[in-house]
mmCIF file of all heavy atoms in Angstrom:
data_model
loop_
_atom_site.group_PDB
_atom_site.id
_atom_site.type_symbol
_atom_site.label_atom_id
_atom_site.label_comp_id
_atom_site.label_asym_id
_atom_site.label_seq_id
_atom_site.Cartn_x
_atom_site.Cartn_y
_atom_site.Cartn_z
ATOM 1 N N THR P 1 -1.983 6.292 4.010
ATOM 2 C CA THR P 1 -1.874 5.861 2.615
ATOM 3 C C THR P 1 -0.477 6.114 2.078
ATOM 4 O O THR P 1 0.117 5.254 1.411
ATOM 5 C CB THR P 1 -2.909 6.596 1.758
ATOM 6 O OG1 THR P 1 -4.215 6.400 2.303
ATOM 7 C CG2 THR P 1 -2.877 6.102 0.326
ATOM 8 N N TRP P 2 0.064 7.282 2.368
ATOM 9 C CA TRP P 2 1.413 7.623 1.914
ATOM 10 C C TRP P 2 2.439 6.654 2.496
ATOM 11 O O TRP P 2 3.351 6.201 1.791
ATOM 12 C CB TRP P 2 1.738 9.061 2.322
ATOM 13 C CG TRP P 2 3.011 9.586 1.743
ATOM 14 C CD1 TRP P 2 3.155 10.273 0.570
ATOM 15 C CD2 TRP P 2 4.324 9.482 2.322
ATOM 16 N NE1 TRP P 2 4.474 10.593 0.370
ATOM 17 C CE2 TRP P 2 5.216 10.126 1.420
ATOM 18 C CE3 TRP P 2 4.823 8.924 3.489
ATOM 19 C CZ2 TRP P 2 6.577 10.215 1.668
ATOM 20 C CZ3 TRP P 2 6.188 8.992 3.736
ATOM 21 C CH2 TRP P 2 7.049 9.635 2.843
ATOM 22 N N LEU P 3 2.303 6.305 3.761
ATOM 23 C CA LEU P 3 3.255 5.405 4.411
ATOM 24 C C LEU P 3 3.177 3.999 3.825
ATOM 25 O O LEU P 3 4.202 3.327 3.647
ATOM 26 C CB LEU P 3 2.993 5.370 5.915
ATOM 27 C CG LEU P 3 3.331 6.656 6.689
ATOM 28 C CD1 LEU P 3 2.894 6.526 8.140
ATOM 29 C CD2 LEU P 3 4.825 6.967 6.607
ATOM 30 N N VAL P 4 1.964 3.531 3.518
ATOM 31 C CA VAL P 4 1.806 2.186 2.958
ATOM 32 C C VAL P 4 2.518 2.073 1.619
ATOM 33 O O VAL P 4 3.292 1.136 1.373
ATOM 34 C CB VAL P 4 0.316 1.826 2.826
ATOM 35 C CG1 VAL P 4 0.130 0.561 1.992
ATOM 36 C CG2 VAL P 4 -0.317 1.649 4.190
ATOM 37 N N PHE P 5 2.285 3.041 0.733
ATOM 38 C CA PHE P 5 2.892 2.949 -0.590
ATOM 39 C C PHE P 5 4.359 3.364 -0.561
ATOM 40 O O PHE P 5 5.136 2.926 -1.416
ATOM 41 C CB PHE P 5 2.098 3.783 -1.593
ATOM 42 C CG PHE P 5 0.775 3.156 -1.949
ATOM 43 C CD1 PHE P 5 -0.403 3.605 -1.376
ATOM 44 C CD2 PHE P 5 0.720 2.098 -2.835
ATOM 45 C CE1 PHE P 5 -1.612 3.013 -1.694
ATOM 46 C CE2 PHE P 5 -0.478 1.498 -3.162
ATOM 47 C CZ PHE P 5 -1.650 1.953 -2.585
ATOM 48 N N ALA P 6 4.750 4.174 0.407
ATOM 49 C CA ALA P 6 6.178 4.437 0.586
ATOM 50 C C ALA P 6 6.900 3.161 1.004
ATOM 51 O O ALA P 6 8.017 2.870 0.533
ATOM 52 C CB ALA P 6 6.393 5.537 1.623
ATOM 53 N N ALA P 7 6.273 2.384 1.880
ATOM 54 C CA ALA P 7 6.855 1.103 2.279
ATOM 55 C C ALA P 7 6.932 0.148 1.095
ATOM 56 O O ALA P 7 7.912 -0.591 0.933
ATOM 57 C CB ALA P 7 6.023 0.491 3.406
ATOM 58 N N TYR P 8 5.907 0.169 0.242
ATOM 59 C CA TYR P 8 5.904 -0.672 -0.962
ATOM 60 C C TYR P 8 7.087 -0.331 -1.868
ATOM 61 O O TYR P 8 7.845 -1.216 -2.291
ATOM 62 C CB TYR P 8 4.584 -0.498 -1.706
ATOM 63 C CG TYR P 8 4.555 -1.123 -3.080
ATOM 64 C CD1 TYR P 8 4.177 -2.454 -3.247
ATOM 65 C CD2 TYR P 8 4.880 -0.380 -4.214
ATOM 66 C CE1 TYR P 8 4.140 -3.033 -4.508
ATOM 67 C CE2 TYR P 8 4.846 -0.957 -5.475
ATOM 68 C CZ TYR P 8 4.476 -2.274 -5.616
ATOM 69 O OH TYR P 8 4.453 -2.852 -6.863
ATOM 70 N N LEU P 9 7.251 0.949 -2.176
ATOM 71 C CA LEU P 9 8.339 1.366 -3.066
ATOM 72 C C LEU P 9 9.699 1.142 -2.415
ATOM 73 O O LEU P 9 10.669 0.763 -3.088
ATOM 74 C CB LEU P 9 8.156 2.830 -3.462
ATOM 75 C CG LEU P 9 6.923 3.130 -4.321
ATOM 76 C CD1 LEU P 9 6.781 4.626 -4.532
ATOM 77 C CD2 LEU P 9 7.007 2.409 -5.663
ATOM 78 N N HIS P 10 9.790 1.387 -1.116
ATOM 79 C CA HIS P 10 11.058 1.158 -0.419
ATOM 80 C C HIS P 10 11.439 -0.322 -0.468
ATOM 81 O O HIS P 10 12.611 -0.664 -0.708
ATOM 82 C CB HIS P 10 10.941 1.618 1.029
ATOM 83 C CG HIS P 10 12.121 1.245 1.882
ATOM 84 N ND1 HIS P 10 13.331 1.896 1.808
ATOM 85 C CD2 HIS P 10 12.270 0.265 2.811
ATOM 86 C CE1 HIS P 10 14.177 1.344 2.658
ATOM 87 N NE2 HIS P 10 13.563 0.357 3.287
ATOM 88 N N ALA P 11 10.455 -1.189 -0.258
ATOM 89 C CA ALA P 11 10.739 -2.623 -0.269
ATOM 90 C C ALA P 11 11.201 -3.093 -1.643
ATOM 91 O O ALA P 11 12.085 -3.948 -1.754
ATOM 92 C CB ALA P 11 9.496 -3.399 0.163
ATOM 93 N N ARG P 12 10.648 -2.515 -2.683
ATOM 94 C CA ARG P 12 11.025 -2.945 -4.029
ATOM 95 C C ARG P 12 12.346 -2.333 -4.477
ATOM 96 O O ARG P 12 13.166 -3.006 -5.113
ATOM 97 C CB ARG P 12 9.920 -2.573 -5.016
ATOM 98 C CG ARG P 12 8.593 -3.231 -4.733
ATOM 99 C CD ARG P 12 7.723 -3.266 -5.957
ATOM 100 N NE ARG P 12 8.281 -4.169 -6.942
ATOM 101 C CZ ARG P 12 7.568 -5.014 -7.674
ATOM 102 N NH1 ARG P 12 6.273 -5.085 -7.507
ATOM 103 N NH2 ARG P 12 8.133 -5.793 -8.563
ATOM 104 N N ILE P 13 12.568 -1.074 -4.166
ATOM 105 C CA ILE P 13 13.739 -0.391 -4.698
ATOM 106 C C ILE P 13 14.995 -0.715 -3.899
ATOM 107 O O ILE P 13 16.060 -0.988 -4.464
ATOM 108 C CB ILE P 13 13.493 1.131 -4.735
ATOM 109 C CG1 ILE P 13 12.356 1.462 -5.713
ATOM 110 C CG2 ILE P 13 14.762 1.872 -5.143
ATOM 111 C CD1 ILE P 13 11.934 2.904 -5.684
ATOM 112 N N THR P 14 14.895 -0.683 -2.591
ATOM 113 C CA THR P 14 16.095 -0.844 -1.762
ATOM 114 C C THR P 14 16.235 -2.236 -1.165
ATOM 115 O O THR P 14 17.359 -2.680 -0.921
ATOM 116 C CB THR P 14 16.099 0.184 -0.616
ATOM 117 O OG1 THR P 14 15.001 -0.080 0.265
ATOM 118 C CG2 THR P 14 15.982 1.594 -1.171
ATOM 119 N N ARG P 15 15.128 -2.933 -0.940
ATOM 120 C CA ARG P 15 15.200 -4.257 -0.340
ATOM 121 C C ARG P 15 15.122 -5.375 -1.368
ATOM 122 O O ARG P 15 15.364 -6.525 -1.046
ATOM 123 C CB ARG P 15 14.072 -4.433 0.685
ATOM 124 C CG ARG P 15 14.063 -3.408 1.802
ATOM 125 C CD ARG P 15 15.292 -3.527 2.679
ATOM 126 N NE ARG P 15 15.326 -4.840 3.340
ATOM 127 C CZ ARG P 15 16.341 -5.251 4.076
ATOM 128 N NH1 ARG P 15 17.417 -4.489 4.210
ATOM 129 N NH2 ARG P 15 16.311 -6.444 4.653
ATOM 130 N N GLY P 16 14.771 -5.027 -2.603
ATOM 131 C CA GLY P 16 14.723 -6.041 -3.650
ATOM 132 C C GLY P 16 13.530 -6.969 -3.579
ATOM 133 O O GLY P 16 13.549 -8.045 -4.162
ATOM 134 N N TRP P 17 12.473 -6.568 -2.883
ATOM 135 C CA TRP P 17 11.273 -7.393 -2.844
ATOM 136 C C TRP P 17 10.659 -7.488 -4.229
ATOM 137 O O TRP P 17 10.654 -6.522 -4.992
ATOM 138 C CB TRP P 17 10.242 -6.802 -1.882
ATOM 139 C CG TRP P 17 10.529 -7.055 -0.438
ATOM 140 C CD1 TRP P 17 11.724 -7.380 0.119
ATOM 141 C CD2 TRP P 17 9.582 -6.984 0.631
ATOM 142 N NE1 TRP P 17 11.596 -7.516 1.476
ATOM 143 C CE2 TRP P 17 10.291 -7.281 1.826
ATOM 144 C CE3 TRP P 17 8.231 -6.700 0.706
ATOM 145 C CZ2 TRP P 17 9.678 -7.297 3.069
ATOM 146 C CZ3 TRP P 17 7.613 -6.707 1.940
ATOM 147 C CH2 TRP P 17 8.332 -7.015 3.106
ATOM 148 N N GLN P 18 10.127 -8.636 -4.557
ATOM 149 C CA GLN P 18 9.405 -8.811 -5.806
ATOM 150 C C GLN P 18 8.466 -9.985 -5.656
ATOM 151 O O GLN P 18 8.650 -10.839 -4.791
ATOM 152 C CB GLN P 18 10.378 -9.027 -6.971
ATOM 153 C CG GLN P 18 11.489 -10.037 -6.730
ATOM 154 C CD GLN P 18 11.083 -11.468 -7.071
ATOM 155 O OE1 GLN P 18 10.269 -11.681 -7.945
ATOM 156 N NE2 GLN P 18 11.638 -12.428 -6.356
ATOM 157 N N GLY P 19 7.416 -9.988 -6.452
ATOM 158 C CA GLY P 19 6.485 -11.100 -6.403
ATOM 159 C C GLY P 19 5.386 -10.945 -5.379
ATOM 160 O O GLY P 19 4.716 -9.913 -5.307
ATOM 161 N N ARG P 20 5.218 -11.965 -4.535
ATOM 162 C CA ARG P 20 4.036 -12.046 -3.680
ATOM 163 C C ARG P 20 4.027 -10.998 -2.571
ATOM 164 O O ARG P 20 2.991 -10.370 -2.316
ATOM 165 C CB ARG P 20 3.959 -13.443 -3.059
ATOM 166 C CG ARG P 20 2.736 -13.653 -2.178
ATOM 167 C CD ARG P 20 2.694 -15.068 -1.658
ATOM 168 N NE ARG P 20 3.858 -15.392 -0.838
ATOM 169 C CZ ARG P 20 4.084 -16.601 -0.342
ATOM 170 N NH1 ARG P 20 3.250 -17.586 -0.614
ATOM 171 N NH2 ARG P 20 5.157 -16.820 0.396
ATOM 172 N N ARG P 21 5.147 -10.782 -1.887
ATOM 173 C CA ARG P 21 5.149 -9.899 -0.720
ATOM 174 C C ARG P 21 4.767 -8.459 -1.060
ATOM 175 O O ARG P 21 3.881 -7.882 -0.414
ATOM 176 C CB ARG P 21 6.504 -9.959 -0.027
ATOM 177 C CG ARG P 21 6.775 -11.286 0.668
ATOM 178 C CD ARG P 21 8.049 -11.241 1.472
ATOM 179 N NE ARG P 21 9.224 -11.022 0.619
ATOM 180 C CZ ARG P 21 10.459 -10.873 1.082
ATOM 181 N NH1 ARG P 21 10.690 -10.906 2.390
ATOM 182 N NH2 ARG P 21 11.466 -10.713 0.248
ATOM 183 N N PRO P 22 5.381 -7.807 -2.060
ATOM 184 C CA PRO P 22 4.930 -6.447 -2.396
ATOM 185 C C PRO P 22 3.518 -6.413 -2.954
ATOM 186 O O PRO P 22 2.813 -5.419 -2.783
ATOM 187 C CB PRO P 22 5.960 -5.975 -3.414
ATOM 188 C CG PRO P 22 6.556 -7.209 -3.979
ATOM 189 C CD PRO P 22 6.551 -8.211 -2.865
ATOM 190 N N ALA P 23 3.090 -7.491 -3.618
ATOM 191 C CA ALA P 23 1.721 -7.527 -4.135
ATOM 192 C C ALA P 23 0.711 -7.517 -3.001
ATOM 193 O O ALA P 23 -0.332 -6.854 -3.077
ATOM 194 C CB ALA P 23 1.529 -8.761 -5.020
ATOM 195 N N ILE P 24 1.003 -8.249 -1.938
ATOM 196 C CA ILE P 24 0.121 -8.239 -0.762
ATOM 197 C C ILE P 24 0.084 -6.847 -0.135
ATOM 198 O O ILE P 24 -0.971 -6.358 0.278
ATOM 199 C CB ILE P 24 0.585 -9.296 0.255
ATOM 200 C CG1 ILE P 24 0.403 -10.700 -0.318
ATOM 201 C CG2 ILE P 24 -0.174 -9.149 1.568
ATOM 202 C CD1 ILE P 24 0.942 -11.802 0.573
ATOM 203 N N LEU P 25 1.240 -6.191 -0.080
ATOM 204 C CA LEU P 25 1.292 -4.839 0.474
ATOM 205 C C LEU P 25 0.490 -3.863 -0.379
ATOM 206 O O LEU P 25 -0.243 -3.015 0.147
ATOM 207 C CB LEU P 25 2.755 -4.391 0.569
ATOM 208 C CG LEU P 25 3.035 -3.081 1.306
ATOM 209 C CD1 LEU P 25 2.510 -3.131 2.730
ATOM 210 C CD2 LEU P 25 4.533 -2.788 1.311
ATOM 211 N N ALA P 26 0.595 -3.984 -1.703
ATOM 212 C CA ALA P 26 -0.175 -3.113 -2.587
ATOM 213 C C ALA P 26 -1.664 -3.411 -2.496
ATOM 214 O O ALA P 26 -2.490 -2.492 -2.561
ATOM 215 C CB ALA P 26 0.313 -3.276 -4.025
ATOM 216 N N ALA P 27 -2.033 -4.679 -2.356
ATOM 217 C CA ALA P 27 -3.446 -5.031 -2.194
ATOM 218 C C ALA P 27 -4.016 -4.430 -0.918
ATOM 219 O O ALA P 27 -5.164 -3.967 -0.880
ATOM 220 C CB ALA P 27 -3.607 -6.549 -2.191
ATOM 221 N N THR P 28 -3.210 -4.407 0.138
ATOM 222 C CA THR P 28 -3.626 -3.729 1.367
ATOM 223 C C THR P 28 -3.812 -2.240 1.119
ATOM 224 O O THR P 28 -4.745 -1.618 1.651
ATOM 225 C CB THR P 28 -2.580 -3.955 2.470
ATOM 226 O OG1 THR P 28 -2.392 -5.355 2.660
ATOM 227 C CG2 THR P 28 -3.016 -3.315 3.779
ATOM 228 N N GLY P 29 -2.936 -1.664 0.298
ATOM 229 C CA GLY P 29 -3.056 -0.250 -0.043
ATOM 230 C C GLY P 29 -4.358 0.082 -0.748
ATOM 231 O O GLY P 29 -4.879 1.199 -0.601
ATOM 232 N N PHE P 30 -4.919 -0.865 -1.504
ATOM 233 C CA PHE P 30 -6.199 -0.621 -2.172
ATOM 234 C C PHE P 30 -7.290 -0.341 -1.154
ATOM 235 O O PHE P 30 -8.102 0.583 -1.326
ATOM 236 C CB PHE P 30 -6.564 -1.834 -3.033
ATOM 237 C CG PHE P 30 -7.861 -1.694 -3.775
ATOM 238 C CD1 PHE P 30 -7.950 -0.897 -4.901
ATOM 239 C CD2 PHE P 30 -9.001 -2.354 -3.339
ATOM 240 C CE1 PHE P 30 -9.151 -0.763 -5.593
ATOM 241 C CE2 PHE P 30 -10.207 -2.229 -4.015
ATOM 242 C CZ PHE P 30 -10.279 -1.424 -5.145
ATOM 243 N N VAL P 31 -7.320 -1.117 -0.085
ATOM 244 C CA VAL P 31 -8.309 -0.904 0.984
ATOM 245 C C VAL P 31 -8.056 0.419 1.689
ATOM 246 O O VAL P 31 -8.990 1.182 1.998
ATOM 247 C CB VAL P 31 -8.272 -2.073 1.975
ATOM 248 C CG1 VAL P 31 -9.272 -1.854 3.108
ATOM 249 C CG2 VAL P 31 -8.550 -3.395 1.272
ATOM 250 N N VAL P 32 -6.781 0.724 1.942
ATOM 251 C CA VAL P 32 -6.430 1.955 2.641
ATOM 252 C C VAL P 32 -6.835 3.177 1.822
ATOM 253 O O VAL P 32 -7.334 4.177 2.366
ATOM 254 C CB VAL P 32 -4.921 1.969 2.963
ATOM 255 C CG1 VAL P 32 -4.507 3.314 3.539
ATOM 256 C CG2 VAL P 32 -4.572 0.858 3.934
ATOM 257 N N VAL P 33 -6.645 3.130 0.504
ATOM 258 C CA VAL P 33 -7.036 4.255 -0.350
ATOM 259 C C VAL P 33 -8.536 4.494 -0.265
ATOM 260 O O VAL P 33 -8.991 5.645 -0.170
ATOM 261 C CB VAL P 33 -6.603 3.997 -1.806
ATOM 262 C CG1 VAL P 33 -7.221 5.032 -2.739
ATOM 263 C CG2 VAL P 33 -5.088 4.057 -1.932
ATOM 264 N N TRP P 34 -9.329 3.425 -0.278
ATOM 265 C CA TRP P 34 -10.777 3.598 -0.205
ATOM 266 C C TRP P 34 -11.210 4.150 1.153
ATOM 267 O O TRP P 34 -12.140 4.948 1.232
ATOM 268 C CB TRP P 34 -11.489 2.270 -0.480
ATOM 269 C CG TRP P 34 -11.746 2.060 -1.934
ATOM 270 C CD1 TRP P 34 -11.137 1.165 -2.761
ATOM 271 C CD2 TRP P 34 -12.678 2.782 -2.746
ATOM 272 N NE1 TRP P 34 -11.629 1.290 -4.041
ATOM 273 C CE2 TRP P 34 -12.585 2.261 -4.063
ATOM 274 C CE3 TRP P 34 -13.583 3.805 -2.495
ATOM 275 C CZ2 TRP P 34 -13.363 2.740 -5.115
ATOM 276 C CZ3 TRP P 34 -14.354 4.286 -3.549
ATOM 277 C CH2 TRP P 34 -14.247 3.758 -4.840
ATOM 278 N N ILE P 35 -10.529 3.732 2.205
ATOM 279 C CA ILE P 35 -10.840 4.298 3.521
ATOM 280 C C ILE P 35 -10.515 5.788 3.541
ATOM 281 O O ILE P 35 -11.292 6.609 4.052
ATOM 282 C CB ILE P 35 -10.067 3.553 4.625
ATOM 283 C CG1 ILE P 35 -10.545 2.105 4.728
ATOM 284 C CG2 ILE P 35 -10.245 4.256 5.974
ATOM 285 C CD1 ILE P 35 -9.748 1.267 5.715
ATOM 286 N N CYS P 36 -9.370 6.139 2.979
ATOM 287 C CA CYS P 36 -8.969 7.547 2.950
ATOM 288 C C CYS P 36 -9.920 8.374 2.095
ATOM 289 O O CYS P 36 -10.293 9.489 2.472
ATOM 290 C CB CYS P 36 -7.535 7.652 2.423
ATOM 291 S SG CYS P 36 -6.923 9.344 2.260
ATOM 292 N N TYR P 37 -10.298 7.830 0.943
ATOM 293 C CA TYR P 37 -11.128 8.592 0.005
ATOM 294 C C TYR P 37 -12.576 8.715 0.472
ATOM 295 O O TYR P 37 -13.163 9.802 0.453
ATOM 296 C CB TYR P 37 -11.081 7.940 -1.372
ATOM 297 C CG TYR P 37 -12.114 8.464 -2.325
ATOM 298 C CD1 TYR P 37 -12.124 9.801 -2.722
ATOM 299 C CD2 TYR P 37 -13.113 7.629 -2.827
ATOM 300 C CE1 TYR P 37 -13.093 10.284 -3.589
ATOM 301 C CE2 TYR P 37 -14.074 8.101 -3.696
ATOM 302 C CZ TYR P 37 -14.065 9.430 -4.074
ATOM 303 O OH TYR P 37 -15.019 9.906 -4.925
ATOM 304 N N LEU P 38 -13.159 7.597 0.906
ATOM 305 C CA LEU P 38 -14.592 7.586 1.185
ATOM 306 C C LEU P 38 -14.934 7.183 2.606
ATOM 307 O O LEU P 38 -15.903 7.684 3.184
ATOM 308 C CB LEU P 38 -15.287 6.628 0.200
ATOM 309 C CG LEU P 38 -16.801 6.696 0.106
ATOM 310 C CD1 LEU P 38 -17.260 8.092 -0.297
ATOM 311 C CD2 LEU P 38 -17.318 5.659 -0.877
ATOM 312 N N GLY P 39 -14.131 6.290 3.188
ATOM 313 C CA GLY P 39 -14.491 5.741 4.492
ATOM 314 C C GLY P 39 -14.562 6.767 5.599
ATOM 315 O O GLY P 39 -15.484 6.744 6.423
ATOM 316 N N VAL P 40 -13.600 7.688 5.645
ATOM 317 C CA VAL P 40 -13.595 8.668 6.732
ATOM 318 C C VAL P 40 -14.791 9.607 6.631
ATOM 319 O O VAL P 40 -15.233 10.172 7.638
ATOM 320 C CB VAL P 40 -12.281 9.478 6.732
ATOM 321 C CG1 VAL P 40 -11.098 8.587 7.054
ATOM 322 C CG2 VAL P 40 -12.068 10.188 5.404
ATOM 323 N N ASN P 41 -15.331 9.789 5.420
ATOM 324 C CA ASN P 41 -16.505 10.636 5.279
ATOM 325 C C ASN P 41 -17.787 9.910 5.668
ATOM 326 O O ASN P 41 -18.797 10.531 5.971
ATOM 327 C CB ASN P 41 -16.621 11.141 3.844
ATOM 328 C CG ASN P 41 -15.438 12.006 3.446
ATOM 329 O OD1 ASN P 41 -14.495 11.506 2.831
ATOM 330 N ND2 ASN P 41 -15.462 13.271 3.808
ATOM 331 N N LEU P 42 -17.740 8.583 5.632
ATOM 332 C CA LEU P 42 -18.899 7.803 6.048
ATOM 333 C C LEU P 42 -18.898 7.526 7.541
ATOM 334 O O LEU P 42 -19.953 7.430 8.167
ATOM 335 C CB LEU P 42 -18.920 6.467 5.296
ATOM 336 C CG LEU P 42 -19.160 6.534 3.783
ATOM 337 C CD1 LEU P 42 -18.945 5.160 3.177
ATOM 338 C CD2 LEU P 42 -20.552 7.040 3.478
ATOM 339 N N LEU P 43 -17.700 7.390 8.108
ATOM 340 C CA LEU P 43 -17.590 6.957 9.500
ATOM 341 C C LEU P 43 -17.345 8.089 10.488
ATOM 342 O O LEU P 43 -17.531 7.911 11.687
ATOM 343 C CB LEU P 43 -16.464 5.921 9.630
ATOM 344 C CG LEU P 43 -16.613 4.673 8.757
ATOM 345 C CD1 LEU P 43 -15.398 3.776 8.908
ATOM 346 C CD2 LEU P 43 -17.881 3.920 9.119
#
């Protein structure tokens, strides 16, 4: 989870990403957060 959102912030701050590409990365992070929070306890 930390790596996904670190990549998101890195892409926006240093690479100048904006719009669709970082949004897709953040949307992926939503799934990753739920896996981290609840999924590992279920699986």
Side-chain angles (χ1 to χ4, degrees):
T1 305
W2 188 92
L3 291 174
V4 168
F5 287 101
Y8 170 88
L9 294 175
H10 172 75
R12 298 202 68 139
I13 296 173
T14 65
R15 302 295 297 174
W17 282 21
Q18 47 87 30
R20 182 177 61 184
R21 290 187 297 176
I24 294 175
L25 188 58
T28 304
F30 180 76
V31 179
V32 173
V33 170
W34 272 109
I35 294 175
C36 177
Y37 168 62
L38 193 59
V40 294
N41 297 96
L42 293 172
L43 302 176

